[in-house]
Amino acid sequence: MKRCVIIGGADIRNYEYIREKLNTDDYFVFCDSGLKHLESLQVEPNLIVGDFDSHENPHLNVETIVLPCEKDDTDTVYAVKEAIKRGYAEFLLIGVVGARLDHTLGNVSILLKLDALGKKGIIIDDYSEMEIVSDKPVYISDRYSFFSLLNISGCANGIFIKGAKYPLEDGEITCEYQYGVSNEVLPGREAVVTVKYGKLLLVKVF
């Protein structure tokens, strides 16, 4: 199926960069205040989801799911769950990390949920791209200024990093000791990261 793009309400400053990452056949889901990005992203929504406590319901001629204000799932989490029900297996999340640390951490955890379901998820903001490294190698090009590997789900070991300034062989990164910050891909090379046990959050910084 097509890729599902979830748009949240966190600030986006570099719309041109974000638009370059979008495809014309993406399935666009706008979550509540994510609607403030509608005009700047220059895309048509396929689905609107929200309790509309932070943005007025625009009442567009688009399928809209109105949620209660008091609920367990945030609008973004609900939107992802709804897209999973509709069969989507690849997700791009934008406007989901920003000033609200609680919402940021909650939205980053969506990547763990998608990975656990065997689905691919990426978060993009103005500065970086984020994804989960688990049971498959992940390759990083030298067009990124830095990359970091963070443990957000327990203990990860059997970690190998090749093609980087700071290589690692059969290492371990725990939540208590995050030493995988600000690595660099060797010029003209492609770094590769593998994890035997556990999961890591890969943050690629431009």
Side-chain angles (χ1 to χ4, degrees):
M1 295 184 67
K2 298 181 293 184
R3 181 180 63 173
C4 181
V5 178
I6 305 288
I7 301 99
D11 288 342
I12 297 174
R13 295 179 176 85
N14 191 349
Y15 283 105
E16 181 179 359
Y17 164 70
I18 298 296
R19 286 196 299 266
E20 290 174 353
K21 300 294 183 179
L22 304 178
N23 302 321
T24 56
D25 63 346
D26 284 332
Y27 183 83
F28 294 101
V29 183
F30 283 80
C31 304
D32 204 332
S33 59
L35 286 161
K36 69 184 181 182
H37 303 304
L38 183 58
E39 183 176 352
S40 296
L41 289 176
Q42 300 174 11
V43 299
E44 294 294 330
N46 299 102
L47 175 66
I48 297 172
V49 172
D51 53 24
F52 301 105
D53 63 346
S54 55
H55 192 285
E56 183 180 354
N57 186 337
H59 297 289
L60 300 176
N61 188 24
V62 174
E63 182 183 1
T64 301
I65 299 176
V66 179
L67 303 174
C69 290
E70 296 183 359
K71 56 189 182 303
D72 291 332
D73 292 338
T74 64
D75 296 335
T76 305
V77 170
Y78 183 95
V80 171
K81 287 183 174 180
E82 181 64 26
I84 290 172
K85 289 180 183 177
R86 300 185 183 205
Y88 288 92
E90 183 178 355
F91 290 79
L92 171 62
L93 291 83
I94 58 178
V96 299
V97 296
R100 285 283 301 270
L101 181 60
D102 50 350
H103 278 272
T104 293
L105 294 177
N107 289 333
V108 168
S109 72
I110 292 173
L111 297 180
L112 291 171
K113 177 67 172 179
L114 291 172
D115 183 78
L117 295 173
K119 302 180 186 299
K120 182 175 178 59
I122 295 176
I123 291 175
I124 294 181
D125 63 13
D126 292 317
Y127 313 101
S128 61
E129 297 179 6
M130 293 168 248
E131 62 184 292
I132 297 297
V133 185
S134 56
D135 58 345
K136 297 181 179 64
V138 173
Y139 299 88
I140 310 163
S141 77
D142 63 353
R143 67 189 181 94
Y144 298 97
S145 299
F146 303 97
F147 71 90
S148 297
L149 291 165
L150 301 170
N151 193 322
I152 60 172
S153 64
C155 183
N157 51 49
I159 304 167
F160 290 80
I161 305 173
K162 299 179 181 179
K165 182 177 181 179
Y166 305 109
L168 185 63
E169 185 171 348
D170 200 21
E172 177 180 271
I173 297 177
T174 66
C175 291
E176 293 80 16
Y177 183 33
Q178 305 277 9
Y179 64 88
V181 177
S182 291
N183 206 337
E184 301 174 35
V185 181
L186 293 175
R189 299 279 300 277
E190 184 178 57
V192 58
V193 178
T194 57
V195 180
K196 285 186 177 180
Y197 307 102
K199 302 180 181 184
L200 293 173
L201 175 68
L202 170 62
V203 183
K204 298 176 287 187
V205 183
F206 291 101

